[in-house]
Amino acid sequence: MANSKDIQKVASEIAASSKISPTVAGRPKSTPAASPELIDAINQVFALFRANYHNQYYSAFGDKNESVGLAKKLWLSKLNGFAPVTICAAAEKIIADSEYLPTLHKMLNACRYVGMPTGLPAPRKAYQEACNKRSPKAEQSWSHPAVYLAGRDTGWYMLANAIETKALPAFSEIYQQYCDRIIAGEKLAVDLPPALPEVSQVPATKKYNQQQLDNLKKLLD
């Protein structure tokens, strides 16, 4: 039996996609044109959902091409940070794991899960690592630069002093943003502090050393 709440969520996403936010000048915001590969991936995903969630699919979208088109447009705009292969793999994972038609929110989480590269710890584990590292933070060894960057942006003072129920959500939100950037192909690095400039040392003269010795003798007299 279809989950009515999930179907209502999908339907509400369709309705939201028909409302285009105007700019200050009153014109719709323009979005970059999607690649043919990305468009094809979205079409494949909806075809998979139609085949696997037949009754739920038609309960959410009906048999009107306009409703499906609006939903595809919304999903295309929200999933454009993921590779087409990741989007298709996420859809297949959802079909294997759930008997219910997914919402866009669930699809986003599935894309993040599937596209997450190896070496990135889970948010809670990353939070614990950021809290336990000694200072100076940038000079420590990190499991991934995203952990350090999320800790830096959250604030080392907050991580050291705030209770977990407050600090963990703040850290996790920032950490997820860095994870999304990694999935999109961005390379991250720990911002090492600049090296101290070299200072040339001039050896003291014999006369200067003798003066310092005389001053020391006077103090001892």
Side-chain angles (χ1 to χ4, degrees):
M1 183 176 178
N3 187 316
S4 60
K5 289 185 178 180
D6 282 352
I7 293 175
Q8 289 174 1
K9 286 183 180 179
V10 175
S12 66
E13 289 169 359
I14 299 172
S17 68
S18 63
K19 299 177 182 178
I20 303 175
S21 300
T23 60
V24 176
R27 296 181 180 178
K29 293 180 180 179
S30 59
T31 55
S35 67
E37 294 78 12
L38 185 59
I39 294 173
D40 184 58
I42 296 297
N43 286 331
Q44 288 184 48
V45 165
F46 274 74
L48 285 171
F49 289 163
R50 184 176 64 247
N52 287 273
Y53 304 108
H54 186 273
N55 292 337
Q56 298 176 48
Y57 183 92
Y58 283 105
S59 294
F61 303 123
D63 56 0
K64 297 180 180 179
N65 291 332
E66 182 181 0
S67 296
V68 176
L70 289 172
K72 287 182 178 180
K73 182 179 179 182
L74 174 64
W75 283 45
L76 188 64
S77 67
K78 299 301 182 182
L79 299 176
N80 61 4
F82 300 101
V85 64
T86 299
I87 294 173
C88 292
E92 292 174 358
K93 175 175 173 53
I94 288 174
I95 291 170
D97 294 348
S98 176
E99 58 182 306
Y100 299 118
L101 181 69
T103 62
L104 176 56
H105 177 73
K106 290 181 179 178
M107 184 64 181
L108 281 166
N109 286 337
C111 286
R112 288 166 178 155
Y113 179 87
V114 170
M116 195 70 70
T118 57
L120 270 171
R124 181 175 178 78
K125 189 173 182 180
Y127 165 77
Q128 292 172 336
E129 179 182 352
C131 289
N132 293 330
K133 287 293 184 181
R134 295 179 297 178
S135 295
K137 306 288 188 179
E139 296 181 4
Q140 305 305 316
S141 177
W142 294 86
S143 61
H144 196 281
V147 181
Y148 163 80
L149 295 171
R152 181 200 64 186
D153 293 357
T154 304
W156 302 119
Y157 181 84
M158 180 180 185
L159 293 178
N161 295 279
I163 58 175
E164 183 176 306
T165 54
K166 181 179 180 181
L168 177 57
F171 174 88
S172 297
E173 181 179 357
I174 296 173
Y175 181 65
Q176 186 60 64
Q177 292 172 4
Y178 277 111
C179 290
D180 289 347
R181 289 165 61 176
I182 294 168
I183 294 171
E186 184 175 345
K187 303 295 183 182
L188 303 179
V190 175
D191 49 352
L192 295 174
L196 295 175
E198 295 184 2
V199 179
S200 59
Q201 296 182 349
V202 179
T205 63
K206 186 176 181 180
K207 181 179 179 181
Y208 175 82
N209 289 336
Q210 186 60 49
Q211 288 177 344
Q212 295 300 312
L213 182 60
D214 293 341
N215 291 336
L216 181 59
K217 288 180 178 179
K218 290 178 181 179
L219 292 174
L220 297 175
D221 290 343

